[in-house]
């Protein structure tokens, strides 16, 4: 079906207006008669009056379908049908509703509801896609048991729950666990399975399958092992056992998100489940492992216990992101995982919090819920879970989670339900902590210190800047992990949690023989911006001696950042203190290679632009790019011998394994290769490219060759080798744009949009191409405005086809007010051009309006 018709004036929905559903659903029976253009869906639903509701009015959601017939208790009725649903007179007591509708999966390019993906039937119902399948109260607090019959000529026909019948041209499924409609799923097509099994802690055998297109069977083994590891970990750490006889995963090429946790039938973007050493990088493997875990963990934190309404989205997503981060930390390196998460948080969520798209972790209102699947809801939501665990302690955390699962199993819950569990277990009042859910913005935490007569004092002050719609931000509870180091580098105070509750607060450490060096906000214990006057000598000391891996990394990052800011502002030379500290750190073989590779990373162009803007400067994207390049050149010169040594020492031998040990070695070797390339013009990179037997080394070498200006032949060879692998070609598109000279980034992107393999209908390919343009600041923000115009051109084309992806990509413009007047004018013009398009989707209308008007 085409994108749903939009209201002339989209309506704002408010959390404060929540009301219980008028009718509850006892059971749902669905029959699908599949056809690519004329699928018929017959629904038989038992409705019962909700004793908690104030009304008996009967209305069902529905969009983009044709109603064929409707019956109540077997008698035909004629409902009042609109573009967004229907209403009807109904009995005052329990009744059976039946309806038959016709939908067109082939025309559904929005990828919401039932659609076709390369000949395969597929669904995506979160958040509000089920209303495009049949008429239903499409809200998460309406939960019911589903029975589904699928009729058609497809060799594989899957739905939620357990199979109950199969025959010539049909399959029937029953899910015994009540669920909201957003967790409904159906997949049908020519698929093959990679099978497995898992024995639960109570001894039940669970059948596992990963379903893929023929030809992809060889890319499932890692995903299957990740699923088994996730199931075992959730039993061991949280006591959560899987509750069906079958768990299916399906890989789909056309998917707006990463994956979806539908009960017993997880649907995955193929990029998030298919993996092989030849076609996937180490980062791909780690991401796949984490996403499989995330969707599996939703079985309890999202499915068995779901959200009362979409304002509570962070309840399931924040908690599950936190759980999948715990899993990855246990499976790989906990310090490296924490640092990677903070890098991502600062790059995406801090930027969001600091601009026109800022919103609370639990929003107060929305126009289009799809626009609130954000870093704030997911990543900041997870940070809130981590802070809560820090505040109550591990034992209370475990007791509270056990009570949460027991008390709320089978319910649709709120943040208040979640926090009340902790209050009941600990006796604490969490009203102040709740402000983290209600107030947008990233708190600034400033700190000063003093030392006298053996007592060291830290004085903290917190302030959260205004955000759209919110100016007054009372103090929040902030857990601050602090350690103290002596002048010889040893710890004189092990990590202690300081609980800040006031706007300004002092904490004392007594019995010290000398002034210590503070290590503040260890493990990044709260999502705040720490402001403290310090110097390069102290940072170098922390980089050398801090026992907290996060703060060790943070010290090196701060050294690099301040040196870069001086280069950008004053044309200063690269900071010698940073260069020497980086060399010493990189050669310290007592440190994890993965940590050293991360520590050799530099602040991003966007990080530096925000730092300049926060300080009252107007960032120049080209100047930022040039400073980074100059520092990389200087580091390559200072580390010319060290880079060769690191490259030689970290060559991984033996069969490829995507585990933490091998991946860390390859990461450090590839970081060294990038430095070597700046001195040898790409000779070593060419040798690695020619010899590579895995995608991690091949892609890293290709990036180095592009950076050295000698990648044309390798780019063509890479394409010739991988042109039939859609996921690898996504990498090919993105890398060329990411490595382009900023003067030509938009031109390279434009050329690639003309390539026969480019299609805007596949979200992965669109993001790989136009997303890479938006993610290359100096190129996207070229003074000519050609990057802005190119992205706007394609967003205008994409919106009628896929509003969700269009709206999310509009966030590329969210920082438009931080730049000079000329760039602001150019970006505003493109935003207004998008906003002025006739028939613009509700998704994109809301997003562009928020960016323009905040």
């Amino acid at each position: 079906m085409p994108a749903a018709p939009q209201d002339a004036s989209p309506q704002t929905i408010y959390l404060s207006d929540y009301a219980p559903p008028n009718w509850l659903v006892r059971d749902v029976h669905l029959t699908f008669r599949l056809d690519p253009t004329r699928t018929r869906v017959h629904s038989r639903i038992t409705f019962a009056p909700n004793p908690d509701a104030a009304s008996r009015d009967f209305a069902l959601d529905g969009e983009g379908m044709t109603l064929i017939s409707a019956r109540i208790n077997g008698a035909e009725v004629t409902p009042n049908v609109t573009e967004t649903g229907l209403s009807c007179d109904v009995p005052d007591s329990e009744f059976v509703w039946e309806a038959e509708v016709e939908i067109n999966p082939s025309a559904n390019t929005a990828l919401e509801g039932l659609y076709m993906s390369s000949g395969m039937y597929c669904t995506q119902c979160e958040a509000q896609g089920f209303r495009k399948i049949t008429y239903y109260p499409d809200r998460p607090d309406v939960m019911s048991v589903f029975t589904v019959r699928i009729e058609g000529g497809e060799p594989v026909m899957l739905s939620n729950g357990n199979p109950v019948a199969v025959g010539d041209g049909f399959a029937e499924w029953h899910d015994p666990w009540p669920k909201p409609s957003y967790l409904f799923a159906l997949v049908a097509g020519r698929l093959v399975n990679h099978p497995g099994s898992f024995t639960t802690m109570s001894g039940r055998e669970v059948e596992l399958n990963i379903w893929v297109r023929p030809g992809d069977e060889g890319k499932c083994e890692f995903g299957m092992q990740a699923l088994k590891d996730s199931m075992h970990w959730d039993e061991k750490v949280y006591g959560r056992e899987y509750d069906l006889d079958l768990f299916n995963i399906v890989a789909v090429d056309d998917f707006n998100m990463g994956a979806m946790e539908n009960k017993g039938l997880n649907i995955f973007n193929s990029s998030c489940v298919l993996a092989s050493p030849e076609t996937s990088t180490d980062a791909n493997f780690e991401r796949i492992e984490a996403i499989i875990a995330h969707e599996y963990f939703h079985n309890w934190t999202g499915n068995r216990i779901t959200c009362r309404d979409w304002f509570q989205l962070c309840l399931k997503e924040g908690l599950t992101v936190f759980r999948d981060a715990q899993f990855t930390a246990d499976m790989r390196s906990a310090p490296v995982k924490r640092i990677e998460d903070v890098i991502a948080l600062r790059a995406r969520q801090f930027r969001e919090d600091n601009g026109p798209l800022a919103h609370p972790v639990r929003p107060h209102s929305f126009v289009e819920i799809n626009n609130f699947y954000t870093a704030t809801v997911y990543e900041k939501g997870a940070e809130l879970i981590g802070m809560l665990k820090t505040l109550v302690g591990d034992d209370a955390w475990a007791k509270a989670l056990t009570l949460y699962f027991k008390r709320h199993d089978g319910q649709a819950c709120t943040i208040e339900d979640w926090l009340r569990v902790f209050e009941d277990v600990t006796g604490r009042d969490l009203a102040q902590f709740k402000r983290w859910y209600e107030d947008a913005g990233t708190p600034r935490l400033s700190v000063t210190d003093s030392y006298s007569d053996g007592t060291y004092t830290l004085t903290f002050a917190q302030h959260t800047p205004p955000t759209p719609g919110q100016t007054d931000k009372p103090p929040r509870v902030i857990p601050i992990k602090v350690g103290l180091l002596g002048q010889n580098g040893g710890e004189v105070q092990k990590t202690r949690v300081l609980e800040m509750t006031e706007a300004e607060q002092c904490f004392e450490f007594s019995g010290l023989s000398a002034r210590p060096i503070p290590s503040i906000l260890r493990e990044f214990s709260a999502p705040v911006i720490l402001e403290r006057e310090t110097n390069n000598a102290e940072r170098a000391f922390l980089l050398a001696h801090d026992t907290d891996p996060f703060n060790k990394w943070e010290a090196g990052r701060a050294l690099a950042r301040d040196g870069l800011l001086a280069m950008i502002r004053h044309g200063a030379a690269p900071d010698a203190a940073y260069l020497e500290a980086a060399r010493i750190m990189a050669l310290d073989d007592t440190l994890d290679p993965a940590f050293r590779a991360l520590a050799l990373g530099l602040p991003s162009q966007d990080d530096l632009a925000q730092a300049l803007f926060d300080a009252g400067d107007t960032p120049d994207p080209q100047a930022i790019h040039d400073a980074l390049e100059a520092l990389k050149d200087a580091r390559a010169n200072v580390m010319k011998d060290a880079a060769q040594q690191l490259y030689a020492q970290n060559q991984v031998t033996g069969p490829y394994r995507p585990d933490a040990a091998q991946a860390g070695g390859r990461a450090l070797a590839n970081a060294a290769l990038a430095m070597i390339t700046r001195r040898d013009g790409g000779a070593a990179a060419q040798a690695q490219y020619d010899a590579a037997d895995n995608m991690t080394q091949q892609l890293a070498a290709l990036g180095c060759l592009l950076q050295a200006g000698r990648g044309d032949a390798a780019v063509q060879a890479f394409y010739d080798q991988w042109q039939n692998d859609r996921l690898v070609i996504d990498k090919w598109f993105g890398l060329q744009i990411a490595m382009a000279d900023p003067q030509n980034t938009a031109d390279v992107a434009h050329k690639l949009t003309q390539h026969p393999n480019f299609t805007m209908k596949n979200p992965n390919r669109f993001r790989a191409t136009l997303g890479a343009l938006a993610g290359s600041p100096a190129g996207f923000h070229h003074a000519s405005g050609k990057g802005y115009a190119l992205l706007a051109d394609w967003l205008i084309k994409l919106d009628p086809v896929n509003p969700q992806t269009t709206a999310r990509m509009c966030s590329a413009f969210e920082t438009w007010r931080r730049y000079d007047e000329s760039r602001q004018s150019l970006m505003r013009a493109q935003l207004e051009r998008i906003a002025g398009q006739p028939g613009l989707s509700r998704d994109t209308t809301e997003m562009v309006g928020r960016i323009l008007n905040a």
Side-chain angles (χ1 to χ4, degrees), residues 523-584:
E523 299 177 12
F524 197 67
S525 57
V528 300
I529 293 174
L530 185 65
E531 298 172 341
R532 176 173 176 263
E533 289 190 12
T534 185
N535 54 53
N536 283 352
E538 182 176 295
R539 287 170 177 151
F541 179 89
L542 291 171
L543 179 60
H545 299 293
D546 204 328
T547 55
D548 178 65
F550 174 81
N551 273 1
K552 179 185 284 287
W553 169 84
E554 181 84 307
R557 175 61 63 101
L559 266 177
R561 183 193 63 232
D562 284 4
L564 282 162
L565 292 175
M567 293 170 71
I568 296 163
R569 286 177 173 134
H570 312 302
D575 181 44
Y578 164 72
L579 294 172
E580 179 60 14
R583 187 188 68 82
I584 293 171

Side-chain angles (χ1 to χ4, degrees), residues 136 509-510 538 615 642 683 711 729 753 803:
Y136 195 78
F509 301 82
S510 58
E538 182 176 295
I729 292 301
T753 62

Side-chain angles (χ1 to χ4, degrees), residues 6 9-13 311 356-359 363-374 799 803 806-808 810-811 831 834-835 840-854:
Q6 305 297 322
S9 56
Q11 298 299 304
T12 300
I13 300 169
F311 294 100
L357 300 181
H359 62 86
H364 305 302
S365 65
F366 62 78
V367 172
E368 173 52 63
I369 185 56
N370 287 325
N371 289 338
F372 283 90
Y373 282 74
T374 62
D799 185 68
T806 305
R808 289 180 180 138
C810 285
S811 63
L831 286 164
I834 295 169
L840 194 69
S841 71
R842 183 173 62 233
D843 308 59
T844 305
T845 297
E846 180 189 25
M847 188 67 77
V848 173
R850 289 169 64 199
I851 293 172
L852 274 172
N853 299 324

Side-chain angles (χ1 to χ4, degrees), residues 612-788:
L612 289 163
F613 182 75
D614 287 343
D617 298 328
T618 300
D620 179 341
Q622 186 63 49
I624 293 171
H625 173 271
D626 292 345
L628 280 163
E629 288 299 302
L631 183 60
K632 290 175 183 176
D633 284 342
R635 189 174 64 180
N637 289 330
V638 168
M639 294 185 64
K640 59 181 184 294
D641 295 331
Q644 294 286 355
Q645 180 180 335
L646 290 169
Y647 188 67
Q649 288 177 341
N650 288 278
Q651 294 302 309
V652 178
T653 58
Y656 176 94
R657 299 192 314 273
D659 58 22
Q662 277 203 9
R666 282 187 289 268
L668 187 53
N670 285 332
L673 180 65
M675 290 187 280
I676 292 169
T677 300
R678 289 178 177 271
R679 291 182 54 81
D680 76 353
Q686 185 65 61
Q688 176 167 307
Y689 183 88
D690 293 340
D693 63 356
N694 63 79
M695 183 55 63
T696 302
Q697 292 178 302
Q698 187 178 23
L699 201 67
L702 179 58
C704 288
L705 290 170
L706 285 167
Q707 191 276 326
R710 55 181 286 183
D712 290 351
V715 163
Q716 186 59 51
F718 190 93
Y719 177 79
D720 292 342
Q721 180 181 1
W722 298 113
Q723 60 185 301
N724 295 320
D725 191 302
R726 57 206 180 276
L727 298 180
V728 177
I729 292 301
D730 287 338
K731 297 178 173 67
W732 181 81
F733 272 85
L735 187 65
Q736 291 177 77
I737 298 168
M739 300 305 298
D741 183 282
Q743 301 301 315
N744 304 319
T745 302
D747 301 324
V748 172
H750 173 70
K751 181 180 178 182
L752 285 169
T753 62
Q754 309 307 307
H755 193 278
N757 285 78
F758 176 79
T759 171
M760 70 176 182
K761 291 185 177 181
N762 179 267
N764 289 351
R765 189 59 45 85
F766 190 88
R767 287 188 288 257
T769 308
L770 280 307
L773 169 64
S776 302
F780 180 60
H781 294 290
H782 189 273
S784 67
K786 58 185 177 179
Y788 310 146

Side-chain angles (χ1 to χ4, degrees), residues 397-647:
W397 166 262
K399 292 176 182 176
L401 266 291
T402 299
L403 177 59
Y404 178 66
F405 292 128
K406 180 179 179 180
R407 177 182 289 178
H408 295 296
D409 187 12
Q411 296 179 13
C413 295
T414 64
I415 293 301
E416 286 75 14
D417 295 324
W418 165 251
L419 294 178
R420 193 174 300 114
V421 165
F422 286 86
E423 290 178 328
D424 291 347
V425 166
T426 65
R428 290 179 60 121
D429 181 351
L430 293 174
Q432 188 183 21
F433 183 81
K434 188 181 171 186
R435 290 175 186 160
W436 280 100
Y437 286 99
E438 296 174 335
D439 292 344
T442 303
R444 269 62 171 173
L445 187 65
S446 61
V447 55
T448 57
D449 62 344
S450 62
Y451 176 76
S452 177
D453 297 328
T455 297
Y456 180 69
T457 303
L458 286 171
T459 301
F460 293 92
Q462 60 168 300
H463 164 67
T464 305
T467 52
Q470 287 188 319
T471 55
D472 182 29
K473 308 287 180 70
R476 312 184 193 189
V477 182
I478 303 178
I480 308 166
K481 291 187 177 181
V482 172
L484 302 178
L485 303 177
Q487 298 296 327
N488 63 356
E491 276 199 341
V492 296
Q493 169 66 61
K494 293 187 180 298
T495 301
R496 170 180 157 192
V497 179
L498 310 180
E499 189 171 325
M500 186 177 186
T501 58
E502 306 296 332
E504 185 170 318
Q505 209 163 340
C506 296
F507 299 90
E508 293 184 347
F509 301 82
S510 58
L512 302 172
S513 60
R515 186 188 186 100
I517 306 296
S519 172
I520 304 171
L521 207 66
R522 286 185 157 184
E523 299 177 12
F524 197 67
S525 57
V528 300
I529 293 174
L530 185 65
E531 298 172 341
R532 176 173 176 263
E533 289 190 12
T534 185
N535 54 53
N536 283 352
E538 182 176 295
R539 287 170 177 151
F541 179 89
L542 291 171
L543 179 60
H545 299 293
D546 204 328
T547 55
D548 178 65
F550 174 81
N551 273 1
K552 179 185 284 287
W553 169 84
E554 181 84 307
R557 175 61 63 101
L559 266 177
R561 183 193 63 232
D562 284 4
L564 282 162
L565 292 175
M567 293 170 71
I568 296 163
R569 286 177 173 134
H570 312 302
D575 181 44
Y578 164 72
L579 294 172
E580 179 60 14
R583 187 188 68 82
I584 293 171
M585 179 278 303
L587 291 171
D588 184 352
D589 58 12
T590 67
L591 299 174
D592 179 0
F595 175 87
R596 286 184 276 166
L598 265 182
L600 284 169
L602 294 173
S604 70
Q605 295 179 50
D606 194 71
D607 288 341
L608 294 167
Q610 188 62 48
L612 289 163
F613 182 75
D614 287 343
D617 298 328
T618 300
D620 179 341
Q622 186 63 49
I624 293 171
H625 173 271
D626 292 345
L628 280 163
E629 288 299 302
L631 183 60
K632 290 175 183 176
D633 284 342
R635 189 174 64 180
N637 289 330
V638 168
M639 294 185 64
K640 59 181 184 294
D641 295 331
Q644 294 286 355
Q645 180 180 335
L646 290 169
Y647 188 67

